[in-house]
Amino acid sequence: MTNLSKSWLDLPEAPPVTGMYELVLEVSDLVASERFYTEAIGLPVATRWGDERPATWLSLGNEGFLGLWPVESGGEVAIHNGRGGAHVHFALRIPIGTIDQAQARLEELGFAVERVDFGNGNVAIYLEDPDGNVVELTEIRLLWDGTAAS
């Protein structure tokens, strides 16, 4: 429970967030989801958890991870009663110049892919994973504040 009576202005400044470390999706079929993210999207497996709390962790670059958990791996058996939850949409950055390759590959695999050109060299493709989560693969040249992406 938060202390809403205390003014946020009276608190020390929050430390800056430096990036996403992990995101967890609750999945109905761990095998199907792992196959989608490894074979269709191309994410490497970082680790798998065993029978007591099954999960697959996939690498997002060098220091970020996507967790796939069946329902039984969350709640009471999870840290802080965590659950994966149902996510509507998340985006994964891919290298500039690879969006056409990614789209062609996914369409060859039979996925319905929607493409959006946001201008300024920013292009994204969207598809659904086995649980209906919307996965975005995006090439970003210009950030929201107008600065160049690194």
Side-chain angles (χ1 to χ4, degrees), residues 20-21 41-46 57-66 91-95:
M20 174 74 74
Y21 179 62
I41 302 300
L43 299 178
V45 173
W57 290 93
L58 306 164
S59 294
L60 301 173
N62 294 328
E63 296 181 355
F65 302 93
L66 174 64
L92 301 172
R93 283 182 66 181
I94 60 175

Side-chain angles (χ1 to χ4, degrees), residues 14-77:
V17 173
T18 59
M20 174 74 74
Y21 179 62
E22 63 185 43
L23 168 74
V24 175
L25 297 176
E26 193 169 88
V27 300
S28 59
D29 182 333
L30 185 57
V31 172
S33 292
E34 180 179 325
R35 184 171 183 211
F36 171 80
Y37 284 102
T38 58
E39 295 180 17
I41 302 300
L43 299 178
V45 173
T47 192
R48 289 183 184 91
W49 290 354
D51 294 335
E52 184 177 309
R53 196 165 163 230
T56 300
W57 290 93
L58 306 164
S59 294
L60 301 173
N62 294 328
E63 296 181 355
F65 302 93
L66 174 64
L68 306 174
W69 291 3
V71 174
E72 61 270 15
S73 292
E76 290 182 13
V77 299

Side-chain angles (χ1 to χ4, degrees), residues 67-122:
L68 306 174
W69 291 3
V71 174
E72 61 270 15
S73 292
E76 290 182 13
V77 299
I79 295 170
H80 202 73
N81 293 314
R83 293 188 48 228
H87 296 274
V88 175
H89 162 254
F90 66 97
L92 301 172
R93 283 182 66 181
I94 60 175
I96 299 297
T98 63
I99 199 89
D100 292 337
Q101 173 187 346
Q103 182 173 354
R105 183 175 184 285
L106 290 165
E107 288 174 343
E108 276 292 316
L109 289 169
F111 292 99
V113 177
E114 180 181 359
R115 185 180 181 120
V116 177
D117 185 335
F118 292 102
N120 299 316
N122 294 348

